[in-house]
Amino acid sequence: QYKSNREFLLSSLRDRSPLGTYYNATVGLSPDTVHGMFLCRGDITKQSCSNCVKTATLEITKNNCTYIKDAIIFYQECMVRYSNVSFLRIVESGPWAAMYSNVSFPDSFLFPFRETLSDKVEKLIILTASKSSLSSLTPYYVRDRNKVNEFDRSYTLDTMVQCSPDLDPANCSVCLRLAVQGVSSCCNNARIAQFFLPKCFLKYDTSGLPTTQSPSGSFSVHAMKGNEIYVRIFITTMATSLLALVGL
């Protein structure tokens, strides 16, 4: 019965995906109730959102998650989740998925850059409060691109943050700060990084900083549940969609 409810839920997520960047639903009666949601990145088209959600809802029940009652799948453009336990309005520190560039900048830039990134995200967190209404086309989504004068030079920092609309502004802020901590822990001094949590994500891209090696276009992808780390895939282009599939 749970499997049947899960399939109905994922089908409803696919049906709703052309209509907006976020949707949640609940199907079935206890003990076979299934809760689910999808969240698309705020800067993509409706068609891209729909395509991503449709792919995710089909992939999430394959492989190791076929008989799992609680799973989440992260893509660059969207995430989809289902569970036998309600997760609405709850901030979670994991599982997470991270993708970061193998091209890095010198260690001497690391701590000043982390401080700059943290300060930038703090400013974006304040801005998200004004976009928390579900009437907004892309609630809780903010992107900022500007020049930073640091290290006796100027470089470009492109930062994007987004929260799931079921969170209130305070919990959105908590989630994004967890994402900042995650980036600092996982991605060292990567020139580009994306960090995904179940209820929010953070992405940054820098240009104009010196690098320790020639750009290769390659990225590493990691996913984590609790204290276990899974190296899922190694991809060679930012255009590749799949990040990680994690059974909770």
Side-chain angles (χ1 to χ4, degrees), residues 158-180:
D158 189 347
T159 314
M160 180 188 304
V161 296
Q162 186 171 355
C163 288
S164 175
D166 66 294
L167 296 180
D168 59 32
N171 279 327
C172 175
S173 300
V174 170
C175 190
L176 291 175
R177 291 188 179 104
L178 288 172
V180 173

Side-chain angles (χ1 to χ4, degrees), residues 76-92:
Q76 285 194 56
E77 296 184 332
C78 73
M79 59 82 66
V80 167
R81 180 180 186 181
Y82 70 83
S83 176
N84 61 331
V85 178
S86 177
F87 46 75
L88 293 181
R89 296 178 291 278
I90 297 174
V91 178
E92 298 158 290

Side-chain angles (χ1 to χ4, degrees), residues 154-215:
S154 177
Y155 68 95
T156 300
L157 176 61
D158 189 347
T159 314
M160 180 188 304
V161 296
Q162 186 171 355
C163 288
S164 175
D166 66 294
L167 296 180
D168 59 32
N171 279 327
C172 175
S173 300
V174 170
C175 190
L176 291 175
R177 291 188 179 104
L178 288 172
V180 173
Q181 293 174 14
V183 165
S184 298
S185 299
C186 82
C187 308
N188 297 318
N189 48 353
R191 192 178 67 82
I192 303 170
Q194 297 184 60
F195 194 88
F196 293 79
L197 287 166
K199 291 299 181 73
C200 67
F201 81 87
L202 164 66
K203 175 185 177 183
Y204 75 82
D205 188 345
T206 64
S207 59
L209 283 173
T211 58
T212 56
Q213 70 270 24
S214 299

